[in-house]
């Protein structure tokens, strides 16, 4: 039977129109490093988005479905691009300015970006790449920076502000299908080529609602959010969309991401909320310890990207900034879990335990744990499996390129369409997730899983151990077994036997490694994570001096 | 271009599964009038919903799209029906137990309800109707009440608890199209037959998210909501769905809606939030004045249905219960506006003015004002027009009956599909709505609109006036002009000239009525509202003694 409800599409355009009317006086404040930051109301953001859309269409020939890339910091112009491009029916492609140059070039080519909007300060990154970006017809430059770097560039070069000047501040936005593509973002996978996730208008709209729900971030127009998490990083966790839906003000740091300026802008602009990865907060905590400032406005801090060390959480609690963990990935838009403790735990000893989990699944995210044999495991807080998720803002495929169908690799998507996150963890009966390892690092021993991270943490708590990495190595009887590669502190003398005995105090006996190796340092990736595939290769090639206990 | 996101339907089933797992320990508490209320966890609600669905399917032969009606108070069993029926693919039809018997019979016939689930205490209402309900094959009785009233009834009679006993607590819920019908509710229009609104799974899901957003009700699992607004009244404003999405506990008053029991359950169960129409709160305020109780837990009160008198709002403020206005109708699911003052007004003199409006449109509701000539008016806080709304939880048609297409009467829906609300009002630039009149009562004079309600309120503030109604009467020159029908207080002597002069102090000169009549009392509808069509008829038939000034 048919319902009698209106069929109204959920689109980014609807978010923009709401934000610029109902919340027209809320503001985006962008730090400039000068005495006065740049301030722009949501009404102005909306009007300038219309001007940008007119310019892209009439001056640059951008058509529906064309990809327009941004290589930008967090600032008002980037917010304008966030709305102008999807609302005109084209696709916003945010480029990660931390990626190696060759990966960036590959991504721009795969997405076939027609236009790149770039901050002037990032021209030293873009200019040398341009000869390799054959799809790019136009470069639009915004903000300070040396334009001469673009001398002789093949694409046409435009000034952002000149493009907007004099154009109509209204645009007859098309009525779009809510399932149409709105934005795309590539994962920076450590193996293989980057993968493109293409968000729909629907996925962005629903994710924004969820972010604004009371059990998620739940900010209001009384809040100002300091958006440190980059706009090229999974849509800045959805904040630029979510804020326009509820009139939350945004404070944008632009390129001023060092602890000093961050502390300064918090004191000056008094945000109530901030969102960033833990390393940013570690720097800020050190800065505040060295040079105290009035940061009392900031009471809520959302931390994602990786787990927040308990010591850092405690330190921020002392500063009056309450940290809330969230977990997600490019493929999950990103809100996958958020660690608001349940009401019954607030004020009890349990509270911190809940806050240290990755958090609870919101209503739009379904979750299950796939065990070593592919069976689904109970939510009992102890059964560890690979996390699989489903929901209207979760990817079900990757972008296949301009002429290709979307791709669904078996190791990333289940046969029934769920996303395999590659994360291994446990879930409590009330839906709190704790991640224990990456699926590729977990040791699959005799039908059970051993967490490499747990063994490493246990080992590194030994006073003689500087660093330790545990990797899976092939084993005839058990399939895989753990190998412990240990870096001792200078002058330390602990033997493998003593270390194994020490480990036995915190993990089950069958999880104890038989194979041990002393190494000088643990190999690391460019972002400082343990690079375990290097260790596995060294082992396979006989490059490690292994003792078997 | 296609997005790569999963295509996951937004369904009531998803809300149920989330509520019974992630928030499995949250509770529905139902007042019983006994020492102990009935308590049921969301997990139990979910399991019993599965049992009810099995019973409806296997025992009563309910099929997809079949209508299952409820004639029930707010209680846990009604919540179970709210989920079991839509999740199995059938349609929940909530019956308004305040309607005249013949209207109820007409509605059941129009919806072709196959089953009625009824509370035992409502059998005196249902039993005499049954001979007229030819579509009804089964009656399911829940809770206390005299079953002998059903002796000799044609439909088969079942006991709710017996039906559930022993059935599986899991149900293989079908994957439904999010646009499929989930529930229906008839309007109690004062003119013509009642109109059926058919909610979809999608509309209910999105409305629930909006209710949970920080700028709407924004409750969390630390809250308990006292749901006084009936479940047969636009899905109890969406609370039974919204609460399962966030783990908010529900306190259900069942049939104990008198001020005494309400005060008692607030003191005993300590809800933090309540939702009801103003009359309920007026009674509660009087009760608390006569017999003080500890109602300090209750800090948030959502009031809708009609505007809350400022004096009542002030009184509740004094009691520590902060009143928040909301506006909606059966056709709007119902959240149309909610009066959270903007952050800049909080703590200022403006705050109360904002709180006394109907409120601000949430992100999912678009609004426009249609002026007397059909043109759309600016949001300037003074231009009055008929409110038209659009959104994914707004009706775009009415149910056309079992064999009919949905109907879209021109006076209810615009050519481009917006709902004409029949309410006249103004909207401020920041999107706050103030309703001033019903469209059918407004006086359309020379291309301008005169609010009958404003004139009435101004007249009734004269010390000699007991009651006054203003209606539109035909006028050759202006199209329509206001006629003032006045009831003087006993012994009062004010003449029409003096009253007209008094009015001139508060309304524009061109709005002043020329036609005046003394009457003994203002005709009223069954629910106590001014029945202006009676006055208009009396005028047309020459039944009023009219003086023209």
């Amino acid at each position: 039977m048919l319902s009698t409800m209106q069929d109204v599409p959920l689109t980014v355009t609807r978010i923009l129109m709401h934000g610029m009317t109902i919340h027209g006086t809320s503001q985006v404040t962008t730090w400039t490093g000068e005495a006065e930051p740049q301030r722009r109301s949501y009404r102005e953001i909306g009007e300038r988005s219309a001007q940008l859309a007119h310019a892209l269409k009439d001056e640059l020939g951008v058509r529906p479905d064309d990809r327009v890339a941004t290589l930008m910091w967090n600032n008002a112009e980037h917010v304008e691009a966030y709305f102008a491009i999807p609302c005109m029916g084209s696709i916003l492609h945010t480029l990660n300015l931390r990626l190696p140059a060759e990966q960036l070039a590959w991504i721009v080519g795969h997405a076939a970006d027609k236009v790149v909007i770039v901050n002037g300060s990032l021209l030293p990154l873009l200019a040398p790449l341009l000869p390799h970006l054959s799809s790019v017809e136009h470069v639009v430059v915004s903000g300070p920076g040396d334009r001469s770097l673009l001398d002789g560039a093949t694409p046409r070069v435009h000034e952002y502000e000149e493009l907007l000047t004099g154009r109509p501040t209204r645009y007859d936005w098309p009525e779009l299908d809510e399932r149409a593509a709105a934005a795309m973002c590539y994962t920076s996978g450590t193996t293989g080529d980057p993968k493109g996730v293409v968000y729909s208008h629907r996925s962005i709209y629903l994710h924004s609602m969820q972010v604004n729900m009371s059990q998620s971030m739940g900010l209001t127009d009384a809040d100002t959010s300091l958006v440190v998490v980059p706009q090229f990083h999974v849509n800045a966790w959805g904040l630029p969309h979510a804020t326009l839906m509820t009139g939350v003000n945004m404070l944008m740091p632009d390129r001023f991401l060092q602890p000093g300026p961050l502390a300064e802008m918090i004191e000056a602009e008094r945000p109530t909320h901030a969102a960033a990865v833990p390393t940013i907060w570690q720097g800020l905590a050190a800065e505040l310890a060295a040079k105290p400032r009035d940061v009392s406005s900031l009471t809520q801090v959302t931390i994602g990207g990786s787990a927040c060390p308990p010591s850092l959480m405690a330190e921020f609690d002392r500063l009056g900034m309450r940290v809330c963990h969230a977990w997600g990935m490019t493929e999950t838009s990103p809100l996958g879990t958020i660690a608001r403790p349940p009401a019954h735990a607030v004020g009890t000893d349990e509270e911190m335990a809940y806050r240290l989990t990755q958090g609870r699944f919101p209503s739009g995210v379904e979750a299950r744990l796939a065990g070593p044999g592919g069976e689904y495991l109970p939510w009992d807080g102890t059964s560890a499996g690979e996390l699989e998720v489903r929901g209207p803002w979760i990817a079900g495929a990757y972008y296949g390129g301009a002429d290709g169908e979307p791709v669904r690799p078996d190791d990333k998507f289940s046969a029934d369409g769920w996303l395999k996150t590659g994360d291994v963890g446990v879930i409590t009966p009330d839906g709190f997730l704790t991640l224990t390892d990456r699926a590729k690092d977990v040791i699959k021993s005799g039908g059970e899983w051993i967490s490499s991270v747990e063994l490493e943490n246990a080992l590194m708590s030994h006073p003689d151990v500087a660093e330790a990495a545990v990797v899976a190595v092939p084993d005839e009887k058990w399939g895989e077994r753990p190998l412990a590669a240990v870096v001792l502190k200078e002058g330390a003398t602990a033997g493998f036997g003593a270390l194994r005995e020490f480990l036995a105090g915190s993990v089950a006996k069958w999880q104890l490694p038989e194979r041990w190796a002393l190494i000088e340092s643990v190999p690391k990736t460019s972002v400082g994570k343990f690079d375990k595939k290097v260790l596995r290769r060294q082992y396979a090639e006989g490059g490690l001096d292994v003792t078997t206990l």
Side-chain angles (χ1 to χ4, degrees), chain A:
Chain A
M1 179 166 144
L2 287 175
S3 95
T4 64
M5 306 314 277
Q6 296 177 13
D7 196 0
V8 176
L10 310 174
T11 61
V12 175
T13 318
R14 184 64 206 119
I15 300 176
L16 175 65
M17 297 311 290
H18 180 78
M20 74 177 287
T21 54
I22 303 279
H23 300 294
T25 58
S26 292
Q27 288 199 324
V28 181
T29 302
T30 304
W31 202 247
T32 57
E34 322 258 309
E36 255 307 293
Q38 178 213 69
R39 300 183 197 280
R40 207 163 277 168
S41 73
Y42 284 179
R43 172 166 300 280
E44 289 170 299
I45 292 281
E47 290 173 350
R48 288 169 52 92
S49 296
Q51 292 181 309
L52 175 58
H54 281 293
L56 290 175
K57 178 161 168 275
D58 297 340
E59 187 77 21
L60 277 61
V62 171
R63 297 283 161 263
D65 277 359
D66 279 351
R67 271 74 70 198
V68 177
T70 55
L71 188 66
M72 301 174 84
W73 304 105
N74 289 12
N75 49 45
E77 292 76 21
H78 207 171
V79 175
E80 289 155 13
Y82 257 52
F83 289 96
I85 298 163
C87 294
M88 68 188 285
S90 308
I91 293 144
L92 167 78
H93 177 197
T94 52
L95 295 173
N96 182 344
L97 55 88
R98 307 279 183 215
L99 287 185
E102 61 276 18
Q103 235 180 69
L104 263 184
W106 187 92
I107 286 173
V108 171
H110 190 256
D113 296 325
K114 185 171 181 173
V115 177
V116 178
I117 308 179
V118 61
N119 278 139
S121 56
L122 293 169
L123 287 176
L125 171 60
L126 181 68
L129 278 184
L130 276 180
H132 309 287
L133 309 182
S134 59
S135 66
V136 175
E137 300 172 17
H138 301 270
V139 173
V140 180
V141 190
S142 168
D146 180 4
R147 268 59 172 173
S148 74
L149 290 166
L150 292 174
D151 288 351
T154 314
R156 276 182 59 200
V157 176
H158 312 260
E159 277 294 330
Y160 186 91
E161 289 302 326
E162 284 172 21
L163 269 186
L164 266 60
T165 302
R167 297 197 191 265
T169 55
R170 297 178 71 93
Y171 190 101
D172 190 12
W173 303 114
E175 179 92 335
L176 300 166
D177 185 319
E178 69 183 41
R179 287 183 165 77
M184 63 196 303
C185 187
Y186 280 74
T187 63
S188 48
T190 45
T191 54
D193 288 326
K195 311 270 193 306
V197 174
V198 184
Y199 306 109
S200 65
H201 283 265
R202 171 183 166 98
S203 74
I204 291 174
Y205 191 97
L206 291 169
H207 183 266
S208 303
M209 290 187 86
Q210 184 78 60
V211 165
N212 284 316
M213 279 171 64
S214 53
Q215 299 280 60
S216 301
M217 293 198 208
L219 305 175
T220 76
D221 64 351
D223 287 301
T224 296
S225 180
L226 170 58
V227 186
V228 182
V229 56
Q231 286 187 255
F232 58 75
H233 189 88
V234 215
N235 298 325
W237 299 349
L239 282 165
H241 300 117
T243 49
L244 261 83
M245 223 178 217
T246 35
V248 179
N249 303 282
M250 280 186 273
L251 174 59
M252 293 303 207
D254 198 82
R255 61 196 182 279
F256 305 97
L257 294 167
Q258 308 73 23
L262 283 177
E264 195 185 338
M265 71 184 82
I266 294 170
E267 185 171 50
E269 296 293 325
R270 306 193 61 72
T272 57
H273 171 262
V277 295
T279 47
I280 292 277
W281 297 117
Q282 252 154 339
L284 183 64
E287 166 76 20
L288 292 172
K291 186 174 175 187
R293 288 185 181 264
D294 177 5
V295 294
S296 59
S297 66
L298 187 55
T299 55
Q300 294 183 72
V301 171
T302 307
I303 283 192
S306 56
C308 178
S311 58
L312 185 64
M313 202 180 273
E315 185 165 351
F316 273 89
D317 278 358
R318 271 195 302 277
L319 287 167
M321 304 180 192
R322 186 163 171 102
V323 169
C324 185
H325 257 175
W327 167 87
M329 45 202 290
T330 305
E331 291 89 336
T332 65
S333 288
L335 187 62
T337 59
I338 187 156
R340 288 196 180 268
H344 66 78
V346 173
T348 75
D349 293 347
E350 282 184 293
E351 185 171 6
M352 186 51 88
Y354 276 112
R355 288 176 62 200
L356 288 170
T357 69
Q358 269 58 52
R360 182 146 67 165
F361 300 98
S363 47
V365 179
E366 290 172 80
R368 65 188 183 195
L369 292 175
E375 76 287 8
Y376 294 111
L377 304 176
W379 290 15
D380 56 13
T382 57
S383 300
E386 180 178 357
L387 176 66
E388 300 186 357
V389 289
R390 176 176 188 259
W393 57 80
I394 312 282
Y398 291 119
Y399 183 55
D403 304 317
E405 287 288 300
V407 290
R408 294 182 181 78
D410 284 349
D411 62 332
K412 292 291 188 176
F413 302 98
S414 71
D416 57 351
W418 292 50
L419 173 72
K420 298 180 177 178
T421 63
D423 280 317
V424 171
V426 299
I427 303 176
T428 58
D430 52 350
F432 280 83
L433 169 73
T434 299
L435 294 180
T436 51
D437 212 342
R438 290 290 296 166
K440 63 181 167 51
D441 294 331
V442 85
I443 298 117
K444 298 160 187 89
S445 170
E448 299 278 355
W449 282 2
I450 302 173
S451 164
S452 65
V453 176
E454 265 180 50
L455 289 176
E456 288 162 2
N457 287 344
L459 270 173
M460 288 192 282
S461 69
H462 189 284
D464 280 6
V465 174
E467 278 187 331
V470 175
V471 298
V473 295
D475 183 276
E476 221 163 281
K477 182 169 177 196
W478 299 103
E480 291 181 356
R481 288 296 298 162
L483 159 80
V486 179
V487 183
L488 287 183
K489 287 184 183 160
E490 221 177 284
T493 57
F496 294 143
L499 290 177
R500 193 169 194 269
E501 201 163 309
F502 176 77
L503 265 190
S506 54
V507 305
K509 189 160 182 297
W510 61 270
Q511 300 189 344
L512 294 176
E514 299 80 21
R515 297 169 181 83
W516 294 75
L518 268 187
I519 54 177
E520 283 184 12
S521 67
V522 176
K524 309 245 172 29
T525 66
S526 60
V527 295
K529 292 186 180 177
F530 285 6
D531 196 347
K532 298 189 183 177
K533 67 180 181 302
V534 173
L535 276 177
R536 282 193 294 263
R537 196 172 53 230
Q538 286 177 347
Y539 176 82
E541 293 168 353
L544 290 179
D545 180 14
V546 176
T547 303
T548 303
L549 297 187

